[in-house]
Amino acid sequence: MDVGKIIDKYGSRRRFLIAILQDIQEQERYLPKEALRQVSLRLGMPLVDVYGVATFYSAFSLEPRGRHEVTVCLGTACHVRGSHRILEEFERQIGVEAGHTTKDGEFTLESVNCLGCCAIGPVVVVDKVYHGEMTSNRVKTLISQCRKAQKVEAS
Amino acid sequence: MSKLKSTTELKSLQEKLGKTQHRDRPTIVVSSGTCGRSRGSSQVYAAFEAGIKDRGLADKVNLRDSGCHGFCQAEPNVVVYPGEVFYANLKPEDAATILDETVGKGQVVDRLLYADPGSGKKAAKLGDVPFYTKQKRLISGRNILLDPTRIEDYLAIGGYSGLAKALSMEPKAVTEEVVKSGLRGRGGGGFPTGLKWQRLGQGTPKYVICNADEGDPGAYMDRGLLEGNPHSVLEGMVIGAFAVGATEGVMYVRTEYPLAVTNVTRAIEQARELGLLGENILGSGFSFDITIARGAGAFVCGEETALIASIEGRIGEPRQRPPYPSEKGLWGKPTIVNNVETWASVPIVVEHGGEKFASIGTKGSKGTKIFSLVGKVNNTGLVEVPMGTTLREVIFDTGGGIPDGRKFKAVQIGGPSGGCLPADKLDLPVDYESLTAAGAMMGSGGMIVMDETTCMVDIAKYFLNFLQEESCGKCFSCREGTQRMYEVVDRITQGNGRADDLALLEELATMVKDASMCGLGRTAGNPVLSTLANFRGEYEAHVLEKKCPAGVCKALIHYRILVDKCTGCMACAKACPQKVISGEKKQPHRIDQSGCIKCGICKDSCKFDAVVVE
Ligand SMILES: Cc1cc2nc3c(=O)[nH]c(=O)nc-3n(C[C@H](O)[C@H](O)[C@H](O)COP(=O)(O)O)c2cc1C
Ligand code: SF4
Ligand code: SF4
Ligand code: SF4
Ligand code: FES
């Protein structure tokens, strides 16, 4: 990982902290401790302040992410169409609660407060692909598709 | 294309592009925002592309990948010109048929036309589709006319003419035009835009910010504009900057909108290349540029002072106002913050004059407003109507009413700061004053429709959970108050409500309102107060009878199989994650309540409506 390069792109200034963290997160899919330490050194700001920002914004993750990322929208429009039941089904099928990653590193399950696709709710995003009008019954299929994709990639 | 050095050069480019658009050719427009794509619009577009190539029609037919046309429920959909034929819910294989029949022979393909689910009546063209007939798509209507990745398309329909006109005026006169239009902020507060500009403080540099954080859950008007017509928003910002003498602009977009970020980033580069942004815009001597800042998933960052903190790279906590951003904003300098839809309205106001804009709408609320009509309603999508249109017209005429023959129960409007309005408020005109008087608010434009299967206590709990999570924690009243209210409503939904809980809720809501600093806390009580005012009986059923009439609150319901309806098809037994449904094939099934987790999957799986909630 090249945190230095990312910082060089913006310049060593505090105002770019969020943008820098976003780029690190995009590259690594989380914010490794070592990266935060480097950011703190280069921007000349206390590590605790870097952590403060990294933990305030929900888009940042301090834990490594699973190979597959599942995000269930819990926005109002999705909620009235039963998104909580869909999240619960994902939690049962994947075996972790929202906000966590499975032990085998296969899945990270997240919830979000609206993806702006409210008209086709309930919405679930699996590995950046949007799925609308989700039902509990489709959850199993989606997960097994992910698992298969993983196998194909591995073989 | 090289930099344009004057408004005359802009004009001739617009004319040239207008001619090279081949408007005389048959044109197929695919509605392709994030929502359309998730329903397969990209595949439909690809099928048209391939079909055109196969038929050797490449220079006889125009194919356009446009932003969202608003009718998300009917996606993927296309509009075919001439004739403005509207084909809905398409599959990739339909492309060939449309090319052969409609484009080739000028015949309408009846089976692909949109049929109104209520009357079954088919709509021959876009204008006849009930979803569109009552709309006035002043701001969002241009999405259909352009490919958002091409500045040429925007210029060809006269884009940036508002800017050209502004540059020919005195900056002060531009602001006066906005004052005259009566345009009010579309981001929630409804503050008069022109007045905000007039009050901008002294000092340099000055900044303008576009608030594209769109945090209200259930609302996506801004995404529709940013994805579908990013230049209209940029044009508004340049005009605003010229009017107030700002030199730098920031577009703050939420990170949850990747396509919007991509399209806006590209649009900024294109505008720069043509000299519509940057040094000496159109040779006027006025310089202004825009950078993008991405949000990072915090609702409170939509509040203008928190948003500014976030742009400065800090934790997004609101601060006390005054001083308002117009005095001390970004980097302590005078700053104007306006919402995406507000900025997108500005070019129209300037180009056609404030008076024309002010002729639409009501006395206190001018122009049109885009709403995201979602939830339990037939025609979900983005709806743009003149201010003053009634809720009934929006939900029933445009929205086509409630699905599955269910009854309308409430519409939630105004986001987490708003309220839930019941059926007897359906004839309320939608404008700033009427909604506020009714205990809701315009907010940014989310309209979430609820039917009889929605529990209003659960909705209050939903918003309180949202607010307690999103409270930045700076004010004690907001941090603690939202948590306490959540706990009270939560225990009510668990069947543990106490007789005096409703009074306690009212007291807490009022306390949080009075003692908190920013809009989040000051309106946090609204979802509770409005549901209490309009649906008190439902709270009482939870507290006194320990019942959830809508069949939502898990602790108060159970699932049962109706013996006389069950065919013994075993679908539910197979689907039940707890394996607590038993029965012989072709015999009525039974649920063992002790192991049931009330997931409702059995109800979803039963094709015979044999599973009921009680
Ligand atoms: C908690 C909170 C969240 C807000 N979120 C947004 C938002 O997502 N988008 C927005 O434009 N305004 C939002 N606002 C309103 C802004 O503070 C500000 O009033 C607005 O951007 C001004 O633009 P306008 O006058 O064009 O509406 C929010 C306000 C509060 C208190
Ligand atoms: S009212 Fe709530 S969200 Fe607003 S500043 Fe206070 S604690 Fe933060
Ligand atoms: S509600 Fe869920 S757990 Fe209970 S019987 Fe139905 S499917 Fe099984
Ligand atoms: S799915 Fe419906 S009809 Fe089939 S066994 Fe279950 S309850 Fe009976
Ligand atoms: S509420 Fe789920 S996408 Fe908006």
Side-chain angles (χ1 to χ4, degrees):
Chain A
M1 169 194 38
D2 208 341
V3 174
K5 244 193 208 150
I6 291 175
I7 299 174
D8 289 342
K9 186 174 121 195
Y10 290 98
S12 305
R13 294 173 51 196
R14 280 182 188 214
R15 61 181 292 189
F16 298 121
L17 175 62
I18 293 173
I20 290 167
L21 295 183
Q22 272 164 337
D23 282 13
I24 297 173
Q25 164 105 17
E26 210 144 279
Q27 206 176 321
E28 299 296 311
R29 300 173 59 234
Y30 82 110
L31 301 176
K33 261 197 198 113
E34 182 44 39
L36 294 181
R37 218 168 280 139
Q38 263 175 280
V39 170
S40 130
L41 276 177
R42 287 279 311 269
L43 300 194
M45 60 192 290
L47 188 58
V48 50
D49 288 354
V50 177
Y51 265 97
V53 168
T55 49
F56 179 83
Y57 294 99
S58 63
F60 296 129
S61 161
L62 297 176
E63 303 282 320
R65 316 284 283 178
R67 274 180 286 279
H68 299 289
E69 286 188 69
V70 177
T71 308
V72 182
C73 177
L74 297 182
T76 324
C78 292
H79 176 79
V80 304
R81 289 188 176 187
S83 60
H84 276 84
R85 286 177 37 210
I86 287 166
L87 178 63
E88 284 163 16
E89 177 66 1
F90 270 109
E91 290 179 334
R92 270 194 300 276
Q93 295 291 338
I94 295 179
V96 290
E97 278 181 27
H100 294 275
T101 301
T102 51
K103 280 211 188 77
D104 60 5
E106 198 70 10
F107 288 98
T108 296
L109 182 62
E110 290 283 1
S111 65
V112 65
N113 282 331
C114 185
L115 295 156
C117 291
C118 326
I120 55 168
V123 183
V124 173
V125 182
V126 181
D127 296 334
K128 297 201 170 157
V129 180
Y130 290 69
H131 301 268
E133 279 140 359
M134 204 53 193
T135 61
S136 306
N137 290 322
R138 273 171 61 201
V139 168
K140 251 190 219 161
T141 332
L142 264 181
I143 293 173
S144 61
Q145 271 169 0
C146 281
R147 290 221 160 95
K148 258 191 233 141
Q150 181 57 35
K151 262 195 212 137
V152 173
E153 239 176 54
S155 67
Chain B
M1 281 184 286
S2 57
K3 266 198 167 71
L4 301 167
K5 291 185 203 69
S6 65
T7 49
T8 328
E9 281 187 24
L10 170 69
K11 200 151 192 218
S12 56
L13 180 62
Q14 285 172 331
E15 277 165 13
K16 191 178 121 211
L17 288 170
K19 282 192 199 115
T20 51
Q21 288 265 306
H22 304 293
R23 294 225 180 85
D24 46 328
R25 288 183 192 166
T27 302
I28 301 157
V29 191
V30 184
S31 175
S32 194
T34 301
C35 38
R37 290 180 185 195
S38 82
R39 295 184 66 143
S41 68
S42 304
Q43 286 85 328
V44 170
Y45 181 83
F48 271 109
E49 212 172 22
I52 288 174
K53 203 168 150 227
D54 291 347
R55 288 166 181 74
L57 292 172
D59 23 290
K60 295 195 181 72
V61 174
N62 299 332
L63 176 63
R64 189 183 303 138
D65 203 10
S66 79
C68 177
H69 302 173
F71 198 178
C72 306
Q73 185 74 46
E75 269 160 353
N77 59 54
V78 304
V79 184
V80 185
Y81 298 91
E84 208 188 39
V85 188
F86 180 73
Y87 292 126
N89 297 309
L90 296 181
K91 300 213 164 40
E93 52 271 28
D94 298 327
T97 319
I98 294 173
L99 283 171
D100 291 337
E101 298 300 317
T102 311
V103 175
K105 302 184 204 146
Q107 305 257 318
V108 169
V109 187
D110 195 66
R111 75 178 169 88
L112 298 176
L113 287 177
Y114 175 78
D116 183 51
S119 63
K121 220 177 120 195
K122 298 224 164 141
K125 58 181 203 312
L126 186 83
D128 295 341
V129 177
F131 179 78
Y132 288 110
T133 44
K134 281 214 170 166
Q135 292 196 52
K136 187 172 174 66
R137 298 170 68 82
L138 190 65
I139 316 290
S140 57
R142 291 192 292 177
N143 278 18
I144 212 165
L145 303 175
L146 53 96
D147 174 341
T149 67
R150 290 169 43 87
I151 190 171
E152 297 89 336
D153 284 12
Y154 186 61
L155 292 170
I157 58 161
Y160 287 101
S161 296
L163 172 63
K165 184 169 170 197
L167 292 176
S168 73
M169 296 160 68
E170 281 296 314
K172 252 197 190 137
V174 176
T175 304
E176 269 155 29
E177 212 55 51
V178 178
V179 173
K180 233 190 276 169
S181 74
L183 174 64
R184 293 171 65 171
R186 303 301 196 226
F191 192 82
T193 305
L195 199 60
K196 187 186 275 185
W197 295 10
Q198 279 178 335
R199 288 190 184 164
L200 188 67
Q202 300 297 318
T204 46
K206 294 183 176 66
Y207 297 99
V208 297
I209 292 176
C210 175
N211 187 344
D213 197 43
E214 193 156 70
D216 282 4
Y220 65 106
M221 305 72 53
D222 297 350
R223 175 177 72 71
L225 289 171
L226 291 172
E227 282 181 9
N229 192 358
H231 283 289
S232 66
V233 184
L234 299 183
E235 186 185 355
M237 289 176 77
V238 186
I239 295 173
F242 174 73
V244 302
T247 48
E248 279 176 60
V250 182
M251 169 82 79
Y252 187 91
V253 197
R254 69 199 305 244
T255 188
E256 289 86 344
Y257 288 177
L259 184 59
V261 173
T262 309
N263 285 3
V264 172
T265 308
R266 189 191 300 103
I268 289 178
E269 283 160 13
Q270 292 170 340
R272 249 182 228 145
E273 216 174 290
L274 278 182
L276 296 161
L277 269 181
E279 292 291 317
N280 194 13
I281 292 173
L282 292 176
S284 64
F286 164 65
S287 301
F288 171 73
D289 211 338
I290 300 174
T291 50
I292 292 191
R294 267 180 303 154
F299 171 71
V300 77
C301 283
E303 196 278 339
E304 54 189 22
T305 61
L307 183 130
I308 286 170
S310 180
I311 294 175
E312 292 174 352
R314 295 184 286 122
I315 286 176
E317 273 178 358
R319 63 157 174 77
Q320 196 74 46
R321 299 176 312 170
Y324 287 92
S326 53
E327 290 291 327
K328 263 184 168 354
L330 188 58
W331 310 113
K333 300 293 179 186
T335 302
I336 282 176
V337 184
N338 276 127
N339 164 264
V340 172
E341 198 182 330
T342 315
W343 285 123
S345 307
V346 167
I348 291 167
V349 166
V350 173
E351 189 182 348
H352 304 292
E355 255 163 51
K356 181 123 192 258
F357 190 85
S359 69
I360 308 164
T362 64
K363 189 158 168 279
S365 309
K366 301 299 187 191
T368 56
K369 174 82 193 82
I370 309 175
F371 293 96
S372 109
L373 185 62
V374 294
K376 303 282 188 69
V377 60
N378 274 316
N379 304 334
T380 56
L382 292 177
V383 174
E384 183 176 350
V385 288
M387 294 276 190
T389 307
T390 67
L391 285 170
R392 190 186 300 282
E393 286 172 293
V394 174
I395 296 166
F396 287 87
D397 298 345
T398 302
I402 316 302
D404 305 325
R406 294 218 174 89
K407 270 219 315 265
F408 169 90
K409 184 169 189 177
V411 55
Q412 205 283 338
I413 178 163
S417 312
C420 294
L421 300 174
D424 64 18
K425 298 267 165 44
L426 274 171
D427 291 309
L428 203 70
V430 181
D431 59 50
Y432 292 99
E433 298 77 14
S434 312
L435 287 172
T436 309
M441 66 184 278
M442 179 77 81
S444 64
M447 258 195 209
I448 296 114
V449 181
M450 303 170 182
D451 68 9
E452 48 200 332
T453 63
T454 313
C455 168
M456 301 315 287
V457 184
D458 175 70
I459 290 296
K461 178 167 97 169
Y462 166 83
F463 278 112
L464 289 169
N465 185 42
F466 177 89
L467 291 163
Q468 67 149 15
E469 274 177 13
E470 296 293 343
S471 163
C472 80
K474 198 168 175 172
C475 318
F476 176 79
S477 55
C478 169
R479 186 181 68 228
E480 291 294 320
T482 51
Q483 282 178 25
R484 291 295 89 77
M485 283 195 285
Y486 174 77
E487 284 164 16
V488 174
V489 175
D490 185 48
R491 80 171 168 242
I492 294 178
T493 62
Q494 302 287 342
N496 301 323
R498 303 169 195 159
D500 55 356
D501 271 352
L502 303 191
L504 176 61
L505 272 177
E506 277 161 341
E507 194 189 321
L508 281 168
T510 316
M511 183 280 292
V512 176
K513 197 174 218 163
D514 292 342
S516 302
M517 191 177 73
C518 89
L520 187 149
R522 279 213 303 270
T523 58
N526 289 358
V528 174
L529 292 174
S530 80
T531 45
L532 266 174
N534 296 316
F535 301 93
R536 202 174 187 93
E538 207 166 336
Y539 277 88
E540 285 165 354
H542 285 72
V543 175
L544 306 174
E545 299 160 43
K546 312 290 177 207
K547 281 207 172 113
C548 175
V552 172
C553 298
K554 275 192 181 175
L556 307 178
I557 58 166
H558 63 268
Y559 287 84
R560 191 164 68 86
I561 294 174
L562 299 174
V563 176
D564 49 336
K565 277 204 172 168
C566 175
T567 64
C569 75
M570 306 181 84
C572 57
K574 236 186 254 156
C576 171
Q578 296 296 98
K579 300 286 165 228
V580 291
I581 304 182
S582 55
E584 298 290 312
K585 204 172 176 181
K586 297 200 177 152
Q587 296 298 318
H589 279 48
R590 230 175 350 91
I591 297 173
D592 170 12
Q593 299 293 338
S594 67
C596 172
I597 53 169
K598 298 169 189 174
C599 67
I601 289 177
C602 48
K603 189 166 187 291
D604 295 344
S605 330
C606 180
K607 291 195 184 79
F608 305 95
D609 292 329
V611 185
V612 292
V613 204
E614 295 177 327

